[in-house]
């Protein structure tokens, strides 16, 4: 795989001006416009931002839990996307221990 192929956008196939090569935690090198990098960023955001459970009395915390977010992904993008997100979040969580 050439560098141009690695940096190609997953939506349009072109190499964008701001594209760069990024190394994921599993050691693979992907482009910053790739689907793998998008999935990694989404899983990292879910793990770091959303709480496991929601305390509805605290207004400063997000009012959606990780489970609720993954359920929303299932409703909008399907079961396969929700399973992939849950798997990626679990992998990141285990790697952070």
């Amino acid at each position: 795989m050439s560098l141009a192929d690695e940096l190609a956008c997953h939506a349009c196939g072109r190499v964008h001006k701001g594209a760069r090569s990024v190394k994921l935690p599993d050691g693979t090198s992907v482009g910053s416009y790739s689907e793998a990098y998008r999935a990694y960023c989404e899983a990292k955001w879910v793990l770091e931002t959303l709480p496991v459970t929601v305390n509805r009395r605290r207004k400063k915390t997000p009012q959606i839990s990780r489970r609720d977010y993954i359920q929303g992904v299932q409703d909008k993008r399907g079961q396969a996307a929700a399973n992939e997100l849950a798997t990626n979040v679990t992998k990141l969580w285990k790697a952070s221990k």
Side-chain angles (χ1 to χ4, degrees):
M1 179 187 243
S2 70
L3 183 62
D5 292 338
E6 180 181 300
L7 296 179
C9 175
H10 72 277
C12 68
R14 296 183 309 168
V15 177
H16 294 281
K17 187 176 181 180
R20 64 188 193 287
S21 183
V22 180
K23 188 167 271 196
L24 298 180
D26 65 358
T28 59
S29 184
V30 297
S32 58
Y33 281 82
S34 69
E35 178 64 23
Y37 185 64
R38 186 212 55 82
Y40 162 73
C41 289
E42 182 180 29
K44 184 177 176 186
W45 177 81
V46 168
L47 182 65
E48 293 178 353
T49 306
L50 298 179
V52 176
T53 58
V54 175
N55 182 352
R56 304 268 183 225
R57 294 182 194 152
R58 294 187 67 194
K59 298 299 179 194
K60 291 185 179 181
T61 60
Q63 296 297 304
I64 183 171
S65 68
R66 292 176 191 163
R67 180 177 290 148
D68 294 338
Y69 182 82
I70 292 172
Q71 181 66 39
V73 168
Q74 178 181 341
D75 294 343
K76 292 202 185 296
R77 291 189 260 162
Q79 185 65 43
N83 289 343
E84 180 184 359
L85 176 59
T87 301
N88 289 342
V89 170
T90 302
K91 284 180 185 177
L92 285 175
W93 177 71
K94 286 182 179 181
S96 69
K97 287 177 118 187

